[in-house]
PDB file of all heavy atoms in Angstrom:
ATOM      1  N   ILE A  61       4.011 -26.235  11.604  1.00 57.00           N
ATOM      2  CA  ILE A  61       2.977 -25.222  11.461  1.00 57.00           C
ATOM      3  C   ILE A  61       1.986 -25.697  10.414  1.00 57.00           C
ATOM      4  O   ILE A  61       2.387 -26.156   9.343  1.00 57.00           O
ATOM      5  CB  ILE A  61       3.596 -23.876  11.054  1.00 57.00           C
ATOM      6  CG1 ILE A  61       4.550 -23.394  12.150  1.00 57.00           C
ATOM      7  CG2 ILE A  61       2.530 -22.836  10.785  1.00 57.00           C
ATOM      8  CD1 ILE A  61       5.301 -22.150  11.791  1.00 57.00           C
ATOM      9  N   ARG A  67      -5.238 -19.636  -1.580  1.00 64.00           N
ATOM     10  CA  ARG A  67      -6.012 -18.441  -1.880  1.00 64.00           C
ATOM     11  C   ARG A  67      -6.117 -18.173  -3.375  1.00 64.00           C
ATOM     12  O   ARG A  67      -6.420 -17.055  -3.791  1.00 64.00           O
ATOM     13  CB  ARG A  67      -5.399 -17.227  -1.179  1.00 64.00           C
ATOM     14  CG  ARG A  67      -5.524 -17.267   0.334  1.00 64.00           C
ATOM     15  CD  ARG A  67      -5.119 -15.951   0.942  1.00 64.00           C
ATOM     16  NE  ARG A  67      -5.304 -15.930   2.383  1.00 64.00           N
ATOM     17  CZ  ARG A  67      -5.050 -14.880   3.159  1.00 64.00           C
ATOM     18  NH1 ARG A  67      -4.597 -13.771   2.618  1.00 64.00           N
ATOM     19  NH2 ARG A  67      -5.244 -14.938   4.462  1.00 64.00           N
ATOM     20  N   ILE A 118       5.026  -2.814   2.683  1.00 94.00           N
ATOM     21  CA  ILE A 118       5.728  -4.094   2.525  1.00 94.00           C
ATOM     22  C   ILE A 118       6.517  -4.418   3.783  1.00 94.00           C
ATOM     23  O   ILE A 118       6.564  -5.568   4.231  1.00 94.00           O
ATOM     24  CB  ILE A 118       6.645  -4.041   1.286  1.00 94.00           C
ATOM     25  CG1 ILE A 118       5.794  -3.999   0.015  1.00 94.00           C
ATOM     26  CG2 ILE A 118       7.600  -5.230   1.256  1.00 94.00           C
ATOM     27  CD1 ILE A 118       6.589  -3.776  -1.250  1.00 94.00           C
ATOM     28  N   GLN A 119       7.141  -3.396   4.361  1.00 95.00           N
ATOM     29  CA  GLN A 119       7.898  -3.605   5.597  1.00 95.00           C
ATOM     30  C   GLN A 119       7.011  -4.151   6.710  1.00 95.00           C
ATOM     31  O   GLN A 119       7.365  -5.129   7.381  1.00 95.00           O
ATOM     32  CB  GLN A 119       8.523  -2.290   6.033  1.00 95.00           C
ATOM     33  CG  GLN A 119       9.201  -2.331   7.383  1.00 95.00           C
ATOM     34  CD  GLN A 119       8.935  -1.092   8.213  1.00 95.00           C
ATOM     35  OE1 GLN A 119       8.288  -1.116   9.251  1.00 95.00           O
ATOM     36  NE2 GLN A 119       9.458   0.048   7.748  1.00 95.00           N
ATOM     37  N   VAL A 120       5.853  -3.531   6.913  1.00 95.00           N
ATOM     38  CA  VAL A 120       4.943  -3.950   7.981  1.00 95.00           C
ATOM     39  C   VAL A 120       4.452  -5.377   7.732  1.00 95.00           C
ATOM     40  O   VAL A 120       4.386  -6.197   8.652  1.00 95.00           O
ATOM     41  CB  VAL A 120       3.762  -2.976   8.095  1.00 95.00           C
ATOM     42  CG1 VAL A 120       2.717  -3.494   9.075  1.00 95.00           C
ATOM     43  CG2 VAL A 120       4.251  -1.603   8.537  1.00 95.00           C
ATOM     44  N   LYS A 121       4.130  -5.691   6.478  1.00 94.00           N
ATOM     45  CA  LYS A 121       3.638  -7.029   6.155  1.00 94.00           C
ATOM     46  C   LYS A 121       4.720  -8.089   6.355  1.00 94.00           C
ATOM     47  O   LYS A 121       4.454  -9.179   6.882  1.00 94.00           O
ATOM     48  CB  LYS A 121       3.119  -7.047   4.721  1.00 94.00           C
ATOM     49  CG  LYS A 121       2.557  -8.399   4.278  1.00 94.00           C
ATOM     50  CD  LYS A 121       1.427  -8.866   5.180  1.00 94.00           C
ATOM     51  CE  LYS A 121       0.878 -10.210   4.717  1.00 94.00           C
ATOM     52  NZ  LYS A 121      -0.080 -10.782   5.688  1.00 94.00           N
ATOM     53  N   CYS A 122       5.949  -7.789   5.941  1.00 94.00           N
ATOM     54  CA  CYS A 122       7.059  -8.744   6.144  1.00 94.00           C
ATOM     55  C   CYS A 122       7.292  -8.972   7.638  1.00 94.00           C
ATOM     56  O   CYS A 122       7.520 -10.103   8.069  1.00 94.00           O
ATOM     57  CB  CYS A 122       8.329  -8.222   5.472  1.00 94.00           C
ATOM     58  SG  CYS A 122       8.287  -8.269   3.667  1.00 94.00           S
ATOM     59  N   PHE A 123       7.269  -7.896   8.413  1.00 95.00           N
ATOM     60  CA  PHE A 123       7.431  -8.029   9.861  1.00 95.00           C
ATOM     61  C   PHE A 123       6.327  -8.905  10.435  1.00 95.00           C
ATOM     62  O   PHE A 123       6.589  -9.789  11.266  1.00 95.00           O
ATOM     63  CB  PHE A 123       7.393  -6.642  10.507  1.00 95.00           C
ATOM     64  CG  PHE A 123       7.563  -6.648  11.995  1.00 95.00           C
ATOM     65  CD1 PHE A 123       8.822  -6.684  12.565  1.00 95.00           C
ATOM     66  CD2 PHE A 123       6.452  -6.629  12.835  1.00 95.00           C
ATOM     67  CE1 PHE A 123       8.982  -6.695  13.940  1.00 95.00           C
ATOM     68  CE2 PHE A 123       6.601  -6.646  14.209  1.00 95.00           C
ATOM     69  CZ  PHE A 123       7.865  -6.680  14.765  1.00 95.00           C
ATOM     70  N   HIS A 124       5.099  -8.693   9.994  1.00 93.00           N
ATOM     71  CA  HIS A 124       3.969  -9.477  10.478  1.00 93.00           C
ATOM     72  C   HIS A 124       4.147 -10.959  10.156  1.00 93.00           C
ATOM     73  O   HIS A 124       3.872 -11.826  10.997  1.00 93.00           O
ATOM     74  CB  HIS A 124       2.675  -8.945   9.853  1.00 93.00           C
ATOM     75  CG  HIS A 124       1.485  -9.815  10.109  1.00 93.00           C
ATOM     76  ND1 HIS A 124       0.985 -10.682   9.149  1.00 93.00           N
ATOM     77  CD2 HIS A 124       0.712  -9.969  11.205  1.00 93.00           C
ATOM     78  CE1 HIS A 124      -0.057 -11.323   9.656  1.00 93.00           C
ATOM     79  NE2 HIS A 124      -0.242 -10.909  10.897  1.00 93.00           N
ATOM     80  N   GLU A 125       4.627 -11.267   8.964  1.00 92.00           N
ATOM     81  CA  GLU A 125       4.778 -12.672   8.569  1.00 92.00           C
ATOM     82  C   GLU A 125       5.833 -13.378   9.412  1.00 92.00           C
ATOM     83  O   GLU A 125       5.631 -14.521   9.846  1.00 92.00           O
ATOM     84  CB  GLU A 125       5.141 -12.752   7.086  1.00 92.00           C
ATOM     85  CG  GLU A 125       4.001 -12.341   6.170  1.00 92.00           C
ATOM     86  CD  GLU A 125       4.366 -12.375   4.698  1.00 92.00           C
ATOM     87  OE1 GLU A 125       5.543 -12.672   4.386  1.00 92.00           O
ATOM     88  OE2 GLU A 125       3.492 -12.092   3.853  1.00 92.00           O
ATOM     89  N   ILE A 126       6.966 -12.713   9.665  1.00 92.00           N
ATOM     90  CA  ILE A 126       8.030 -13.359  10.439  1.00 92.00           C
ATOM     91  C   ILE A 126       7.630 -13.497  11.901  1.00 92.00           C
ATOM     92  O   ILE A 126       7.851 -14.541  12.532  1.00 92.00           O
ATOM     93  CB  ILE A 126       9.343 -12.559  10.301  1.00 92.00           C
ATOM     94  CG1 ILE A 126       9.788 -12.504   8.838  1.00 92.00           C
ATOM     95  CG2 ILE A 126      10.444 -13.205  11.145  1.00 92.00           C
ATOM     96  CD1 ILE A 126      11.024 -11.663   8.600  1.00 92.00           C
ATOM     97  N   ILE A 127       7.033 -12.452  12.470  1.00 90.00           N
ATOM     98  CA  ILE A 127       6.601 -12.512  13.864  1.00 90.00           C
ATOM     99  C   ILE A 127       5.524 -13.579  14.049  1.00 90.00           C
ATOM    100  O   ILE A 127       5.485 -14.286  15.067  1.00 90.00           O
ATOM    101  CB  ILE A 127       6.098 -11.127  14.332  1.00 90.00           C
ATOM    102  CG1 ILE A 127       7.292 -10.177  14.510  1.00 90.00           C
ATOM    103  CG2 ILE A 127       5.329 -11.231  15.635  1.00 90.00           C
ATOM    104  CD1 ILE A 127       8.268 -10.588  15.580  1.00 90.00           C
ATOM    105  N   THR A 128       4.639 -13.718  13.074  1.00 88.00           N
ATOM    106  CA  THR A 128       3.573 -14.713  13.165  1.00 88.00           C
ATOM    107  C   THR A 128       4.138 -16.122  13.218  1.00 88.00           C
ATOM    108  O   THR A 128       3.618 -16.993  13.928  1.00 88.00           O
ATOM    109  CB  THR A 128       2.608 -14.571  11.978  1.00 88.00           C
ATOM    110  OG1 THR A 128       2.028 -13.264  12.009  1.00 88.00           O
ATOM    111  CG2 THR A 128       1.491 -15.602  12.053  1.00 88.00           C
ATOM    112  N   ILE A 129       5.212 -16.369  12.483  1.00 88.00           N
ATOM    113  CA  ILE A 129       5.858 -17.681  12.529  1.00 88.00           C
ATOM    114  C   ILE A 129       6.347 -17.977  13.940  1.00 88.00           C
ATOM    115  O   ILE A 129       6.136 -19.062  14.488  1.00 88.00           O
ATOM    116  CB  ILE A 129       7.022 -17.753  11.518  1.00 88.00           C
ATOM    117  CG1 ILE A 129       6.481 -17.709  10.088  1.00 88.00           C
ATOM    118  CG2 ILE A 129       7.842 -19.026  11.732  1.00 88.00           C
ATOM    119  CD1 ILE A 129       7.563 -17.610   9.037  1.00 88.00           C
ATOM    120  N   GLY A 130       7.011 -16.992  14.560  1.00 83.00           N
ATOM    121  CA  GLY A 130       7.476 -17.182  15.933  1.00 83.00           C
ATOM    122  C   GLY A 130       6.333 -17.419  16.893  1.00 83.00           C
ATOM    123  O   GLY A 130       6.417 -18.261  17.791  1.00 83.00           O
ATOM    124  N   TYR A 131       5.254 -16.685  16.686  1.00 81.00           N
ATOM    125  CA  TYR A 131       4.103 -16.850  17.580  1.00 81.00           C
ATOM    126  C   TYR A 131       3.492 -18.236  17.420  1.00 81.00           C
ATOM    127  O   TYR A 131       3.093 -18.874  18.403  1.00 81.00           O
ATOM    128  CB  TYR A 131       3.066 -15.777  17.278  1.00 81.00           C
ATOM    129  CG  TYR A 131       1.817 -15.895  18.124  1.00 81.00           C
ATOM    130  CD1 TYR A 131       1.835 -15.554  19.468  1.00 81.00           C
ATOM    131  CD2 TYR A 131       0.632 -16.357  17.572  1.00 81.00           C
ATOM    132  CE1 TYR A 131       0.709 -15.661  20.250  1.00 81.00           C
ATOM    133  CE2 TYR A 131      -0.513 -16.473  18.350  1.00 81.00           C
ATOM    134  CZ  TYR A 131      -0.474 -16.122  19.688  1.00 81.00           C
ATOM    135  OH  TYR A 131      -1.597 -16.248  20.445  1.00 81.00           O
ATOM    136  N   ARG A 132       3.406 -18.737  16.188  1.00 79.00           N
ATOM    137  CA  ARG A 132       2.823 -20.066  15.964  1.00 79.00           C
ATOM    138  C   ARG A 132       3.688 -21.165  16.546  1.00 79.00           C
ATOM    139  O   ARG A 132       3.198 -22.147  17.096  1.00 79.00           O
ATOM    140  CB  ARG A 132       2.636 -20.310  14.468  1.00 79.00           C
ATOM    141  CG  ARG A 132       1.490 -19.513  13.843  1.00 79.00           C
ATOM    142  CD  ARG A 132       1.424 -19.757  12.358  1.00 79.00           C
ATOM    143  NE  ARG A 132       0.310 -19.037  11.744  1.00 79.00           N
ATOM    144  CZ  ARG A 132       0.089 -19.000  10.439  1.00 79.00           C
ATOM    145  NH1 ARG A 132       0.933 -19.628   9.610  1.00 79.00           N
ATOM    146  NH2 ARG A 132      -0.942 -18.339   9.948  1.00 79.00           N
ATOM    147  N   ARG A 143       3.391 -10.475  21.473  1.00 87.00           N
ATOM    148  CA  ARG A 143       2.959  -9.803  20.253  1.00 87.00           C
ATOM    149  C   ARG A 143       2.836  -8.293  20.479  1.00 87.00           C
ATOM    150  O   ARG A 143       3.196  -7.494  19.603  1.00 87.00           O
ATOM    151  CB  ARG A 143       1.627 -10.385  19.775  1.00 87.00           C
ATOM    152  CG  ARG A 143       1.680 -11.869  19.487  1.00 87.00           C
ATOM    153  CD  ARG A 143       0.430 -12.361  18.799  1.00 87.00           C
ATOM    154  NE  ARG A 143       0.481 -12.104  17.382  1.00 87.00           N
ATOM    155  CZ  ARG A 143      -0.432 -12.549  16.518  1.00 87.00           C
ATOM    156  NH1 ARG A 143      -1.469 -13.244  16.955  1.00 87.00           N
ATOM    157  NH2 ARG A 143      -0.331 -12.289  15.240  1.00 87.00           N
ATOM    158  N   TRP A 147       5.094  -5.441  18.266  1.00 95.00           N
ATOM    159  CA  TRP A 147       4.564  -4.326  17.483  1.00 95.00           C
ATOM    160  C   TRP A 147       4.955  -2.978  18.088  1.00 95.00           C
ATOM    161  O   TRP A 147       5.127  -1.984  17.366  1.00 95.00           O
ATOM    162  CB  TRP A 147       3.046  -4.448  17.366  1.00 95.00           C
ATOM    163  CG  TRP A 147       2.649  -5.550  16.439  1.00 95.00           C
ATOM    164  CD1 TRP A 147       2.241  -6.806  16.763  1.00 95.00           C
ATOM    165  CD2 TRP A 147       2.661  -5.500  15.008  1.00 95.00           C
ATOM    166  NE1 TRP A 147       1.984  -7.549  15.648  1.00 95.00           N
ATOM    167  CE2 TRP A 147       2.231  -6.772  14.543  1.00 95.00           C
ATOM    168  CE3 TRP A 147       2.977  -4.515  14.076  1.00 95.00           C
ATOM    169  CZ2 TRP A 147       2.121  -7.073  13.191  1.00 95.00           C
ATOM    170  CZ3 TRP A 147       2.869  -4.819  12.728  1.00 95.00           C
ATOM    171  CH2 TRP A 147       2.447  -6.075  12.296  1.00 95.00           C
ATOM    172  N   TRP A 216      14.340 -12.752  18.583  1.00 92.00           N
ATOM    173  CA  TRP A 216      13.602 -12.944  17.334  1.00 92.00           C
ATOM    174  C   TRP A 216      13.046 -11.605  16.843  1.00 92.00           C
ATOM    175  O   TRP A 216      13.168 -11.266  15.658  1.00 92.00           O
ATOM    176  CB  TRP A 216      12.468 -13.938  17.587  1.00 92.00           C
ATOM    177  CG  TRP A 216      11.627 -14.312  16.399  1.00 92.00           C
ATOM    178  CD1 TRP A 216      10.825 -13.497  15.672  1.00 92.00           C
ATOM    179  CD2 TRP A 216      11.512 -15.614  15.805  1.00 92.00           C
ATOM    180  NE1 TRP A 216      10.196 -14.196  14.678  1.00 92.00           N
ATOM    181  CE2 TRP A 216      10.601 -15.492  14.733  1.00 92.00           C
ATOM    182  CE3 TRP A 216      12.061 -16.852  16.102  1.00 92.00           C
ATOM    183  CZ2 TRP A 216      10.238 -16.578  13.944  1.00 92.00           C
ATOM    184  CZ3 TRP A 216      11.695 -17.929  15.312  1.00 92.00           C
ATOM    185  CH2 TRP A 216      10.817 -17.799  14.255  1.00 92.00           C
ATOM    186  N   THR A 220      14.252  -9.551  13.465  1.00 94.00           N
ATOM    187  CA  THR A 220      13.233  -9.219  12.469  1.00 94.00           C
ATOM    188  C   THR A 220      13.222  -7.727  12.168  1.00 94.00           C
ATOM    189  O   THR A 220      13.103  -7.312  11.008  1.00 94.00           O
ATOM    190  CB  THR A 220      11.838  -9.662  12.965  1.00 94.00           C
ATOM    191  OG1 THR A 220      11.870 -11.051  13.293  1.00 94.00           O
ATOM    192  CG2 THR A 220      10.785  -9.416  11.899  1.00 94.00           C
ATOM    193  N   THR A 224      13.883  -6.144   8.434  1.00 93.00           N
ATOM    194  CA  THR A 224      12.804  -5.446   7.732  1.00 93.00           C
ATOM    195  C   THR A 224      12.917  -3.924   7.815  1.00 93.00           C
ATOM    196  O   THR A 224      12.994  -3.243   6.785  1.00 93.00           O
ATOM    197  CB  THR A 224      11.439  -5.893   8.293  1.00 93.00           C
ATOM    198  OG1 THR A 224      11.388  -5.641   9.706  1.00 93.00           O
ATOM    199  CG2 THR A 224      11.225  -7.377   8.050  1.00 93.00           C
ATOM    200  N   PHE A 377      15.758 -20.677   6.584  1.00 89.00           N
ATOM    201  CA  PHE A 377      14.884 -20.269   7.690  1.00 89.00           C
ATOM    202  C   PHE A 377      13.570 -21.063   7.657  1.00 89.00           C
ATOM    203  O   PHE A 377      13.107 -21.573   8.686  1.00 89.00           O
ATOM    204  CB  PHE A 377      14.607 -18.766   7.582  1.00 89.00           C
ATOM    205  CG  PHE A 377      13.721 -18.223   8.661  1.00 89.00           C
ATOM    206  CD1 PHE A 377      14.249 -17.743   9.847  1.00 89.00           C
ATOM    207  CD2 PHE A 377      12.350 -18.170   8.489  1.00 89.00           C
ATOM    208  CE1 PHE A 377      13.440 -17.232  10.841  1.00 89.00           C
ATOM    209  CE2 PHE A 377      11.519 -17.665   9.476  1.00 89.00           C
ATOM    210  CZ  PHE A 377      12.064 -17.196  10.654  1.00 89.00           C
ATOM    211  N   ILE A 383       8.203 -25.008   7.257  1.00 86.00           N
ATOM    212  CA  ILE A 383       7.145 -24.338   6.523  1.00 86.00           C
ATOM    213  C   ILE A 383       7.569 -24.203   5.061  1.00 86.00           C
ATOM    214  O   ILE A 383       8.761 -24.150   4.750  1.00 86.00           O
ATOM    215  CB  ILE A 383       6.835 -22.937   7.103  1.00 86.00           C
ATOM    216  CG1 ILE A 383       8.096 -22.074   7.152  1.00 86.00           C
ATOM    217  CG2 ILE A 383       6.203 -23.049   8.474  1.00 86.00           C
ATOM    218  CD1 ILE A 383       7.860 -20.658   7.631  1.00 86.00           C
ATOM    219  N   ASP A 385       6.174 -21.671   2.876  1.00 86.00           N
ATOM    220  CA  ASP A 385       6.219 -20.240   2.582  1.00 86.00           C
ATOM    221  C   ASP A 385       6.022 -19.446   3.864  1.00 86.00           C
ATOM    222  O   ASP A 385       5.532 -19.968   4.866  1.00 86.00           O
ATOM    223  CB  ASP A 385       5.125 -19.855   1.577  1.00 86.00           C
ATOM    224  CG  ASP A 385       5.303 -20.558   0.233  1.00 86.00           C
ATOM    225  OD1 ASP A 385       6.416 -20.500  -0.312  1.00 86.00           O
ATOM    226  OD2 ASP A 385       4.319 -21.163  -0.246  1.00 86.00           O
ATOM    227  N   PHE A 386       6.394 -18.176   3.819  1.00 89.00           N
ATOM    228  CA  PHE A 386       6.189 -17.315   4.981  1.00 89.00           C
ATOM    229  C   PHE A 386       4.700 -17.066   5.241  1.00 89.00           C
ATOM    230  O   PHE A 386       4.292 -16.862   6.375  1.00 89.00           O
ATOM    231  CB  PHE A 386       6.908 -15.972   4.779  1.00 89.00           C
ATOM    232  CG  PHE A 386       8.395 -16.062   4.996  1.00 89.00           C
ATOM    233  CD1 PHE A 386       9.261 -16.278   3.942  1.00 89.00           C
ATOM    234  CD2 PHE A 386       8.932 -15.923   6.268  1.00 89.00           C
ATOM    235  CE1 PHE A 386      10.636 -16.360   4.138  1.00 89.00           C
ATOM    236  CE2 PHE A 386      10.302 -16.000   6.480  1.00 89.00           C
ATOM    237  CZ  PHE A 386      11.150 -16.222   5.406  1.00 89.00           C
ATOM    238  N   ALA A 387       3.918 -17.036   4.181  1.00 85.00           N
ATOM    239  CA  ALA A 387       2.473 -16.838   4.294  1.00 85.00           C
ATOM    240  C   ALA A 387       1.848 -17.276   2.975  1.00 85.00           C
ATOM    241  O   ALA A 387       2.534 -17.840   2.104  1.00 85.00           O
ATOM    242  CB  ALA A 387       2.148 -15.374   4.610  1.00 85.00           C
ATOM    243  N   ASN A 388       0.573 -17.040   2.813  1.00 82.00           N
ATOM    244  CA  ASN A 388      -0.118 -17.380   1.568  1.00 82.00           C
ATOM    245  C   ASN A 388      -0.791 -16.159   0.970  1.00 82.00           C
ATOM    246  O   ASN A 388      -1.872 -16.242   0.387  1.00 82.00           O
ATOM    247  CB  ASN A 388      -1.144 -18.492   1.823  1.00 82.00           C
ATOM    248  CG  ASN A 388      -2.225 -18.053   2.798  1.00 82.00           C
ATOM    249  OD1 ASN A 388      -2.041 -17.086   3.540  1.00 82.00           O
ATOM    250  ND2 ASN A 388      -3.334 -18.747   2.806  1.00 82.00           N
ATOM    251  N   THR A 389      -0.134 -15.002   1.115  1.00 81.00           N
ATOM    252  CA  THR A 389      -0.715 -13.739   0.656  1.00 81.00           C
ATOM    253  C   THR A 389      -0.912 -13.718  -0.855  1.00 81.00           C
ATOM    254  O   THR A 389      -1.941 -13.258  -1.349  1.00 81.00           O
ATOM    255  CB  THR A 389       0.194 -12.570   1.074  1.00 81.00           C
ATOM    256  OG1 THR A 389       0.483 -12.674   2.479  1.00 81.00           O
ATOM    257  CG2 THR A 389      -0.475 -11.235   0.811  1.00 81.00           C
ATOM    258  N   ILE A 390       0.086 -14.210  -1.609  1.00 80.00           N
ATOM    259  CA  ILE A 390       0.053 -14.172  -3.070  1.00 80.00           C
ATOM    260  C   ILE A 390       0.000 -15.601  -3.596  1.00 80.00           C
ATOM    261  O   ILE A 390       0.972 -16.351  -3.429  1.00 80.00           O
ATOM    262  CB  ILE A 390       1.284 -13.450  -3.650  1.00 80.00           C
ATOM    263  CG1 ILE A 390       1.521 -12.115  -2.933  1.00 80.00           C
ATOM    264  CG2 ILE A 390       1.127 -13.229  -5.140  1.00 80.00           C
ATOM    265  CD1 ILE A 390       2.827 -11.460  -3.288  1.00 80.00           C
ATOM    266  N   GLY A 394       3.518 -17.369  -2.398  1.00 80.00           N
ATOM    267  CA  GLY A 394       3.682 -17.420  -0.951  1.00 80.00           C
ATOM    268  C   GLY A 394       3.372 -16.074  -0.323  1.00 80.00           C
ATOM    269  O   GLY A 394       2.441 -15.378  -0.718  1.00 80.00           O
ATOM    270  N   GLY A 395       4.209 -15.686   0.647  1.00 86.00           N
ATOM    271  CA  GLY A 395       4.012 -14.417   1.336  1.00 86.00           C
ATOM    272  C   GLY A 395       4.777 -13.287   0.694  1.00 86.00           C
ATOM    273  O   GLY A 395       5.544 -13.475  -0.260  1.00 86.00           O
ATOM    274  N   ILE A 396       4.573 -12.082   1.234  1.00 89.00           N
ATOM    275  CA  ILE A 396       5.317 -10.922   0.738  1.00 89.00           C
ATOM    276  C   ILE A 396       6.814 -11.123   0.975  1.00 89.00           C
ATOM    277  O   ILE A 396       7.645 -10.789   0.133  1.00 89.00           O
ATOM    278  CB  ILE A 396       4.829  -9.645   1.449  1.00 89.00           C
ATOM    279  CG1 ILE A 396       3.347  -9.394   1.140  1.00 89.00           C
ATOM    280  CG2 ILE A 396       5.660  -8.449   1.026  1.00 89.00           C
ATOM    281  CD1 ILE A 396       3.048  -9.098  -0.291  1.00 89.00           C
ATOM    282  N   MET A 397       7.171 -11.694   2.118  1.00 91.00           N
ATOM    283  CA  MET A 397       8.578 -11.920   2.432  1.00 91.00           C
ATOM    284  C   MET A 397       9.218 -12.897   1.454  1.00 91.00           C
ATOM    285  O   MET A 397      10.414 -12.799   1.163  1.00 91.00           O
ATOM    286  CB  MET A 397       8.704 -12.448   3.863  1.00 91.00           C
ATOM    287  CG  MET A 397      10.121 -12.495   4.385  1.00 91.00           C
ATOM    288  SD  MET A 397      10.839 -10.836   4.543  1.00 91.00           S
ATOM    289  CE  MET A 397      12.586 -11.252   4.669  1.00 91.00           C
ATOM    290  N   ASP A 398       8.444 -13.835   0.915  1.00 88.00           N
ATOM    291  CA  ASP A 398       8.982 -14.767  -0.077  1.00 88.00           C
ATOM    292  C   ASP A 398       9.417 -14.056  -1.348  1.00 88.00           C
ATOM    293  O   ASP A 398      10.308 -14.523  -2.051  1.00 88.00           O
ATOM    294  CB  ASP A 398       7.927 -15.827  -0.422  1.00 88.00           C
ATOM    295  CG  ASP A 398       7.665 -16.776   0.726  1.00 88.00           C
ATOM    296  OD1 ASP A 398       8.533 -17.627   0.995  1.00 88.00           O
ATOM    297  OD2 ASP A 398       6.615 -16.664   1.374  1.00 88.00           O
ATOM    298  N   ARG A 399       8.780 -12.943  -1.650  1.00 84.00           N
ATOM    299  CA  ARG A 399       9.105 -12.203  -2.864  1.00 84.00           C
ATOM    300  C   ARG A 399      10.142 -11.111  -2.627  1.00 84.00           C
ATOM    301  O   ARG A 399      10.727 -10.591  -3.584  1.00 84.00           O
ATOM    302  CB  ARG A 399       7.833 -11.571  -3.451  1.00 84.00           C
ATOM    303  CG  ARG A 399       6.838 -12.583  -3.953  1.00 84.00           C
ATOM    304  CD  ARG A 399       7.140 -13.085  -5.374  1.00 84.00           C
ATOM    305  NE  ARG A 399       8.432 -13.725  -5.546  1.00 84.00           N
ATOM    306  CZ  ARG A 399       8.682 -14.994  -5.287  1.00 84.00           C
ATOM    307  NH1 ARG A 399       7.735 -15.766  -4.818  1.00 84.00           N
ATOM    308  NH2 ARG A 399       9.872 -15.495  -5.489  1.00 84.00           N
ATOM    309  N   PHE A 400      10.365 -10.733  -1.385  1.00 87.00           N
ATOM    310  CA  PHE A 400      11.272  -9.618  -1.115  1.00 87.00           C
ATOM    311  C   PHE A 400      12.483 -10.041  -0.283  1.00 87.00           C
ATOM    312  O   PHE A 400      13.184  -9.181   0.254  1.00 87.00           O
ATOM    313  CB  PHE A 400      10.514  -8.484  -0.410  1.00 87.00           C
ATOM    314  CG  PHE A 400       9.577  -7.745  -1.318  1.00 87.00           C
ATOM    315  CD1 PHE A 400       8.277  -8.181  -1.489  1.00 87.00           C
ATOM    316  CD2 PHE A 400       9.999  -6.641  -2.021  1.00 87.00           C
ATOM    317  CE1 PHE A 400       7.404  -7.511  -2.340  1.00 87.00           C
ATOM    318  CE2 PHE A 400       9.147  -5.959  -2.872  1.00 87.00           C
ATOM    319  CZ  PHE A 400       7.844  -6.404  -3.032  1.00 87.00           C
TER     320      PHE A 400
END
Side-chain angles (χ1 to χ4, degrees):
I61 298 175
R67 292 190 177 181
I118 291 173
Q119 173 221 114
V120 173
K121 181 58 180 172
C122 289
F123 181 84
H124 171 258
E125 291 178 357
I126 299 176
I127 287 296
T128 300
I129 292 173
Y131 178 73
R132 287 177 178 175
R143 301 190 82 173
W147 287 100
W216 183 296
T220 305
T224 57
F377 180 90
I383 55 177
D385 298 309
F386 283 94
N388 62 341
T389 309
I390 312 171
I396 298 295
M397 190 65 197
D398 291 287
R399 294 277 59 84
F400 287 88

